[in-house]
Amino acid sequence: FGSSLKVSPGSHVGSSAELMSEGMEAAREAMGFVCAALRLVGISYMTVEHLRRAKHNSDDVVPVLWLLVSDLLPVFINGIEAMDRPRGKEATPQRSGDQPLGLSRKDEVRVLGLLFAVGYPRADKLCAHPLPGSRELLLAAAFLIDGIDLLDFWGRRRSQATGAAPLP
C-alpha cells in the first residue's frame, strides 16, 4: 500500500474534464451505432437524444421506448433474416409534429405479455406501480437487441459494404 503513482516525463495525463469529454463522445458514438443498427430493421424514429434521455430515466421518452420495444419484438420472435418491416417505420412519417410516438395502454399490455412470453427476466418490473421510467424500458430494448444479435448483424453488414474490418 506504500506505492505511489509515478508518471514518466513527457507522458500526458489528461484532466478529468478531458476524460469526461472523451467518455461522452464515445457514448454518443455508441448510441449512434445503435440508432444506425435500428434503421437497418426499419426503426428510423429512435435518436441518440432519445437513448441519452432514457439512460437518465426521463419520463418524456417512455412512449417512444414502448414503441421501440413493440417494434423489436417481432424481430426477436421471428429472427432478423425473416424481418419484413416493423410497424414503427410506417408510423413515423404519418405523425405530425405535435403527435408523439407511443402506444395505447392496451398495446403496452400486449407488449408486456409478449415480454413475459419470450422470457424477458425483468418483465415484472414493467408492471410496477408507479409505472416504470424509461430506464426499465431501455433495458427491455437492450435485451431484445442483444437477443436479435442486431449490433453484430449490422457490424457485419457494414464491414461487407465498406470493406472495413468488423467492429470489436
Side-chain angles (χ1 to χ4, degrees):
F1 293 146
S3 66
S4 64
L5 176 65
K6 295 181 182 177
V7 178
S8 60
S11 70
H12 175 71
V13 177
S15 71
S16 60
E18 288 173 329
L19 293 174
M20 283 180 53
S21 177
E22 289 174 14
M24 289 171 43
E25 185 58 35
R28 188 173 310 282
E29 285 178 31
M31 289 184 284
F33 184 86
V34 170
C35 290
L38 290 169
R39 284 190 294 275
L40 182 68
V41 294
I43 298 173
S44 60
Y45 53 84
M46 188 56 68
T47 66
V48 169
E49 183 63 14
H50 287 131
L51 295 174
R52 186 191 70 76
R53 294 175 73 109
K55 182 183 78 163
H56 293 289
N57 215 26
S58 181
D59 288 339
D60 64 328
V61 294
V62 167
V64 74
L65 288 169
W66 274 111
L67 185 61
L68 174 63
V69 171
S70 173
D71 286 344
L72 286 171
L73 274 163
V75 185
F76 183 87
I77 293 167
N78 300 319
I80 197 163
E81 282 78 15
M83 176 65 200
D84 196 22
R85 285 283 178 217
R87 185 180 55 68
K89 174 71 175 171
E90 292 83 34
T92 303
Q94 298 170 0
R95 296 182 183 272
S96 65
D98 60 343
Q99 186 179 15
L101 292 169
L103 299 177
S104 68
R105 187 66 186 142
K106 179 180 173 184
D107 285 337
E108 288 175 4
V109 171
R110 179 189 55 79
V111 166
L112 186 57
L114 286 171
L115 286 170
F116 274 109
V118 300
Y120 175 55
R122 296 180 61 90
D124 62 321
K125 304 287 190 231
L126 295 170
C127 300
H129 185 73
L131 292 175
S134 61
R135 195 172 298 134
E136 277 301 325
L137 288 163
L138 185 60
L139 289 171
F143 170 82
L144 297 171
I145 288 169
D146 184 55
I148 295 165
D149 216 9
L150 180 61
L151 299 180
D152 286 339
F153 181 81
W154 186 77
R156 286 190 308 272
R157 173 86 51 102
R158 181 174 169 248
S159 67
Q160 289 170 353
T162 64
L167 297 172

